[in-house]
Amino acid sequence: APAWLRRLCGQLLSERLLRPGGVQAVVRGVLEGTDGGAGAEAAALDWRKCDAVGKILAACPQQCLSLEDYYRQVCPQILDLLHIQDKVAARQFQRVATTTLLTMAREQPQLAERHLLQPLLAPLRRCSEAAELALEDLTAGAMLVPEAELGSCVEDILKVYVVGNDSSSLLLGSLQSVLGVVFSLYSFAKQNVSYLRSPCQDILLWFLEKAEREQSLAVLEGLARLSSHVPTLHPQCQLRVGSEGGAAIVVGETISDEDEALYQKISLEQCHVESLVELLSHCQKSGLAGDFFIHCLKELTQVAAEDEAAPNPAVEPGGSLLELEQYQARQGRKLLVLQLVAALCEGVSDTVFTDIVQVQEFLAAVLHRACAHPAQGPGAAAEAQTLAMAMGLVAAVLGGAAQLKSSDFVVLKRLVPLLEELSRTYPEPLTQELASDLCIAICTHGACSPGTVGAAADGVLGRGAGVGAQSPAGVPGTALSPSSPQHRHGSPSAHRDRSKEQSTCREPRASGASATPCANGLAPAGLQELLVSAYDPQPPSRAAALRRLASMVTQRDPEALGIQEKLLQVFLENVQHEDAFVYLSAIQGIALLSSEYPERILPVLLAQYECPAQGTEDTMAAVTRMKLGEVLMRVTRALGDMVFQHREPLIGAFLRGARDPDSALRASSLSNLGELCQHLGFQLGSIIQEVTCCVTAIARTDPEAEVRRAAVHVVVVLLRGLSEKVTEVLQDVLRDLYRLLKHVATAERDAATVLHAQLALEELDAAMRRVLFPSQTLEKKIVVLP
């Protein structure tokens, strides 16, 4: 076009642009004739036009007096483009608005932040902890951010930041100022039914992915309330469910009851921790979850060190109030870090580490903690087990030395100083020796791998054969044998003596008046070593031996089957061990042994379940009986249809367990009873009266809510499993069960129990309707006339 025509068109366009509603009129005029077609060429043309319009809007015309004045007039109209309701044109207008905003942010960051980003984020900043709110002038329940405004703000952020996908420092910095409020909204939406959960999650994940790793870790630390890097929701603000599926922010009421306020605070912190763990479960492939887990472990070590160095002003006289507050803040931070580590271990521990660097950093954090704080005091057992598992993990990594590269060994060599310090300073001789052997294996790139390394790997991987260099017998018991020439410091001899003493002292309990599991002549050499290792003081070695014994039972090894009674005693004694890795291995062994020989093993298990070992505390006995209950249920699942011949002893044992003084055991027995009914196909025979009477009495009279809940759950399982047969099988007790459920639904205080009762009533109602009003079916009959 001629120059005069371009100049005249530019003047007319600029004049129209600066009028009220001019931005929308210009965009409609330029995009007229393009409807966002689905074809590739149409889509490319559409994108080019939207990009061109965005650049036009971002450029200040010559007719405008100042750039500040132009931004003041145009920016509110650009934000209005995000709210176009016309579905046909909404996508194009949103593209134009996003392109214009990102272009302005690149060219004029200060003006864009003042006139675009701050108004865009204003609803969230209004209720942020950093905002200066005169909340004392507002009454409780006053609306700060209405539902429609909050939902529109979250959607706009999603369109501009996530869809626009421009990770400039300006955009990331502006979004970081409201991430705490977005996270609170995400946590709130996660606990309720709200459409805001998905966009809030997308916003948080986008920031964590696009930001630098240090910035992402700082934000996660702020979201976990460990730092003030991220302003959170104002403590006087409260989220409420909206009528349209969203949420609104109001001024919260002040809770006068201190106990209620403490409960609300703890519940909110627990909810935030769970939401953070779920958010991190989506960041495992990028390695962010692993880095944050390691960061929390380092923080735990640092907090523990500060806690030991700082005196307790509550104990020492003359402590000031400020010191007391600082001490309480440190204790609260320590508890929060512990809660985070526990939640991360439970939620994302299976695939948290993505490369060997993260594994090395995790191990370094654990070993540094062991060097700084050797296991002592009331938590010494847990600390020792954690260290043993960490060193076993190092051994397991070294066990795959053939797959490791030279660069991997460069990373692992960072652990050598910590392992050397452990070998010099740790009070346990076995740990000193294993640390020294691991140093040798790392420095020689796995070429020289002492037997202790293979035994430690066995303990972590839960198998008998070690990874890497194997001991002569191939079992953990011989891996620590003093016959190995690589062992030093004299500690293997001490371990051998200690193992012999321990196996000797356990002889009376293991088999009574008969020969012991480690007696010569009753078991071959390899099996004897496994039986000795089943009482090893180190939990990994003990669990590995138990798993190996269970594997021999599965493979129907004749040597193992010849001493099945002794194997049962070994497994039963290890069920009482406090380490989960050990007693779960023992439970698996008993279940396998019982499924092979149910007629011999089940009577022994039922006797142990009903009458625990004498001399044990009530709490310990109840815990052991619950573990045996898990064994019985595993056996029931393994037996399948063969469980019918053992029906009455099993039901009788669980009914007697439902009358135990310990509430946890009563609930466990009822849960096992419900599952047993399912495996029996609800063919309870004449015992149905006893089951329903027991369940009815417990649901009405038991003082513990969890036990009443379990009793009502058994009724739910019966009704749901019987379905149309409910009137046939339960015809004698159906009226009593109905009255019980109505009583629970109206008089019960526990909400979960009431919910179970309502579900049971619904199942009963559906079953009765199917019986009374069967569905009409049309049948076609062909009759042959004579």
Side-chain angles (χ1 to χ4, degrees):
W4 64 269
L5 182 58
R6 293 200 306 270
R7 185 170 58 253
L8 181 60
C9 290
Q11 292 176 359
L12 295 175
L13 187 64
S14 300
E15 291 175 1
R16 186 67 185 92
L17 188 64
L18 296 176
R19 293 179 184 176
V23 171
Q24 190 174 144
V26 170
V27 173
R28 288 187 183 274
V30 175
L31 297 180
E32 187 177 5
T34 60
D35 56 352
E41 295 183 0
L45 178 62
D46 189 26
W47 273 109
R48 286 196 296 270
K49 280 199 172 185
C50 292
D51 188 58
V53 175
K55 291 180 179 178
I56 291 173
L57 296 178
C60 179
Q62 297 179 355
Q63 291 85 352
C64 196
L65 298 177
S66 67
L67 191 61
E68 176 83 21
D69 186 57
Y70 175 73
Y71 272 66
R72 187 181 300 111
Q73 295 183 45
V74 172
C75 288
Q77 300 184 53
I78 293 174
L79 294 176
D80 289 338
L81 294 179
L82 297 170
H83 308 143
I84 298 295
Q85 299 299 321
D86 185 6
K87 294 183 179 180
V88 177
R91 183 169 56 180
Q92 294 176 319
F93 278 79
Q94 290 170 11
R95 288 176 182 173
V96 171
T98 301
T99 304
T100 306
L101 191 148
L102 297 179
T103 305
M104 288 182 169
R106 284 193 298 268
E107 296 178 355
Q108 299 292 334
Q110 295 181 352
L111 293 176
E113 182 179 8
R114 188 181 313 139
H115 297 286
L116 284 174
L117 298 181
Q118 288 184 3
L120 177 68
L121 304 174
L124 298 181
R125 288 186 173 181
R126 194 184 310 158
C127 53
S128 173
E129 191 178 23
E132 297 180 0
L133 294 175
L135 295 178
E136 62 274 4
D137 299 333
L138 300 175
T139 59
M143 188 70 67
L144 283 178
V145 183
E147 178 186 3
E149 185 180 2
L150 184 61
S152 176
C153 176
V154 172
E155 291 177 355
D156 292 347
I157 293 174
L158 183 70
K159 296 170 186 175
V160 172
Y161 288 85
V162 181
V163 178
N165 199 22
D166 187 346
S167 56
S168 63
S169 58
L170 173 65
L171 292 175
L172 291 175
S174 62
L175 183 60
Q176 182 175 345
S177 62
V178 296
L179 275 184
V181 183
V182 175
F183 178 72
S184 297
L185 187 58
Y186 165 72
S187 181
F188 175 80
K190 181 177 173 292
Q191 300 297 320
N192 300 276
V193 180
S194 176
Y195 68 89
L196 294 177
R197 176 182 178 182
S198 179
C200 289
Q201 177 177 307
D202 293 340
I203 292 169
L204 292 167
L205 291 177
W206 178 84
F207 181 91
L208 295 175
E209 178 185 354
K210 296 298 179 181
E212 297 291 335
R213 185 53 56 92
E214 291 77 9
Q215 187 179 7
S216 298
L217 291 176
V219 167
L220 288 173
E221 190 177 4
L223 296 180
R225 310 298 175 93
L226 293 176
S227 67
S228 58
H229 291 98
V230 179
T232 57
L233 186 68
H234 199 282
Q236 291 183 264
C237 294
Q238 185 178 1
L239 288 163
R240 288 188 179 176
V241 178
S243 58
E244 301 296 328
I249 301 179
V250 300
V251 178
E253 299 180 357
T254 303
I255 303 176
S256 57
D257 188 0
E258 294 183 358
D259 294 339
E260 181 65 22
L262 180 61
Y263 173 75
Q264 294 289 346
K265 181 176 181 297
I266 294 176
S267 301
L268 184 62
E269 289 179 355
Q270 178 68 23
C271 179
H272 281 175
V273 169
E274 293 176 357
S275 301
L276 186 64
V277 172
E278 181 173 346
L279 192 67
L280 284 171
S281 65
H282 301 282
C283 304
Q284 297 190 63
K285 291 184 179 179
S286 63
L288 180 60
D291 289 344
F292 184 67
F293 183 47
I294 296 168
H295 179 77
C296 289
L297 288 177
K298 295 178 180 177
E299 186 71 24
L300 183 62
T301 303
Q302 181 180 356
V303 168
E306 293 176 356
D307 190 49
E308 290 182 1
N312 186 353
V315 177
E316 295 187 1
S320 64
L321 183 60
L322 178 60
E323 292 176 347
L324 181 60
E325 291 180 352
Q326 291 176 350
Y327 174 76
Q328 291 178 346
R330 287 194 302 269
Q331 293 300 312
R333 182 183 178 86
K334 183 178 180 180
L335 291 175
L336 184 56
V337 173
L338 283 170
Q339 187 181 17
L340 263 176
V341 171
L344 287 170
C345 289
E346 183 178 357
V348 298
S349 60
D350 51 349
T351 55
V352 67
F353 297 135
T354 57
D355 53 23
I356 196 169
V357 176
Q358 287 185 332
V359 174
Q360 178 269 326
E361 291 181 356
F362 163 71
L363 295 171
V366 177
L367 296 178
H368 178 72
R369 178 173 176 80
C371 293
H373 311 284
Q376 52 187 345
E383 293 285 350
Q385 292 176 14
T386 304
L387 177 61
M389 293 299 293
M391 299 180 74
L393 181 57
V394 179
V397 173
L398 290 172
Q403 289 77 29
L404 294 178
K405 304 176 183 177
S406 58
S407 57
D408 297 334
F409 280 103
V410 172
V411 174
L412 289 175
K413 284 182 180 178
R414 302 173 190 169
L415 300 174
V416 171
L418 293 171
L419 291 171
E420 289 179 347
E421 184 176 354
L422 275 178
S423 66
R424 294 191 306 267
T425 61
Y426 201 76
E428 175 61 33
L430 287 175
T431 303
Q432 291 183 5
E433 182 188 1
L434 179 57
S436 179
D437 292 343
L438 288 173
C439 287
I440 295 173
I442 293 174
C443 294
T444 60
H445 289 204
C448 179
S449 183
T452 51
V453 177
D458 289 344
V460 171
L461 298 178
R463 61 193 190 195
V467 179
Q470 301 295 331
S471 58
V475 293
T478 57
L480 296 176
S481 173
S483 60
S484 178
Q486 292 91 346
H487 288 223
R488 296 167 306 280
H489 310 305
S491 57
S493 303
H495 171 65
R496 177 192 57 189
D497 298 338
R498 186 162 56 250
S499 298
K500 287 186 177 180
E501 290 174 5
Q502 187 172 4
S503 61
T504 303
C505 70
R506 288 182 181 267
E507 287 176 4
R509 211 154 50 95
S511 57
S514 60
T516 64
C518 56
N520 294 325
L522 291 181
L527 187 57
Q528 179 184 350
E529 293 290 347
L530 280 178
L531 293 172
V532 172
S533 297
Y535 296 105
D536 194 284
Q538 293 295 330
S541 299
R542 179 182 290 213
L546 294 174
R547 297 251 173 181
R548 179 59 180 164
L549 290 172
S551 177
M552 294 176 70
V553 173
T554 306
Q555 298 169 4
R556 305 185 67 85
D557 186 280
E559 299 174 353
L561 298 181
I563 56 169
Q564 53 183 274
E565 291 81 5
K566 300 188 184 309
L567 290 181
L568 178 61
Q569 283 300 129
V570 171
F571 288 138
L572 286 175
E573 290 191 2
N574 280 281
V575 162
Q576 303 177 17
H577 198 277
E578 61 180 3
D579 186 81
F581 197 30
V582 174
Y583 73 70
L584 287 176
S585 302
I587 286 176
Q588 182 184 9
I590 299 175
L592 291 172
L593 197 61
S594 303
S595 61
E596 294 290 337
Y597 304 97
E599 291 80 6
R600 299 181 184 178
I601 308 300
L602 266 181
V604 179
L605 293 179
L606 290 172
Q608 290 277 347
Y609 183 76
E610 297 183 22
C611 301
Q614 299 296 326
T616 57
E617 298 180 0
D618 293 341
T619 305
M620 183 61 67
V623 172
T624 304
R625 291 177 69 185
M626 282 188 281
K627 294 175 183 177
L628 290 174
E630 171 64 21
V631 174
L632 292 173
M633 294 317 301
R634 292 196 183 192
V635 174
T636 302
R637 300 186 198 108
L639 288 177
D641 294 338
M642 294 176 60
V643 76
F644 280 96
Q645 58 181 328
H646 308 286
R647 175 180 61 184
E648 296 186 5
L650 286 170
I651 293 178
F654 291 139
L655 287 177
R656 284 186 286 274
R659 291 297 187 180
D660 193 83
D662 188 271
S663 60
L665 182 59
R666 295 200 302 273
S668 174
S669 299
L670 289 170
S671 177
N672 294 337
L673 180 62
E675 186 177 351
L676 178 61
C677 291
Q678 288 180 318
H679 290 298
L680 291 172
F682 304 99
Q683 300 180 23
L684 305 182
S686 60
I687 314 180
I688 186 66
Q689 290 281 359
E690 299 181 24
V691 173
T692 54
C693 288
C694 176
V695 169
T696 303
I698 291 176
R700 286 179 178 272
T701 62
D702 199 281
E704 297 294 334
E706 62 177 359
V707 183
R708 299 195 301 272
R709 191 182 310 161
V712 178
H713 178 66
V714 174
V715 180
V716 177
V717 170
L718 285 173
L719 296 177
R720 185 173 298 166
L722 290 171
S723 188
E724 287 87 355
K725 297 181 181 179
V726 65
T727 54
E728 301 175 11
V729 180
L730 302 178
Q731 57 180 349
D732 297 331
V733 296
L734 192 58
R735 184 181 61 179
D736 297 334
L737 291 179
Y738 175 73
R739 290 177 176 175
L740 167 68
L741 296 174
K742 294 294 290 185
H743 169 76
V744 172
T746 55
E748 177 62 46
R749 298 184 303 274
D750 182 58
T753 309
V754 173
L755 178 60
H756 282 303
Q758 292 173 348
L759 292 175
L761 288 172
E762 291 177 3
E763 292 289 341
L764 184 58
D765 178 72
M768 295 304 299
R769 287 180 182 274
R770 286 192 294 267
V771 173
L772 297 175
F773 308 104
S775 58
Q776 300 294 329
T777 58
L778 297 177
E779 296 182 358
K780 183 178 181 181
K781 294 184 178 180
I782 299 176
V783 180
V784 179
L785 297 176

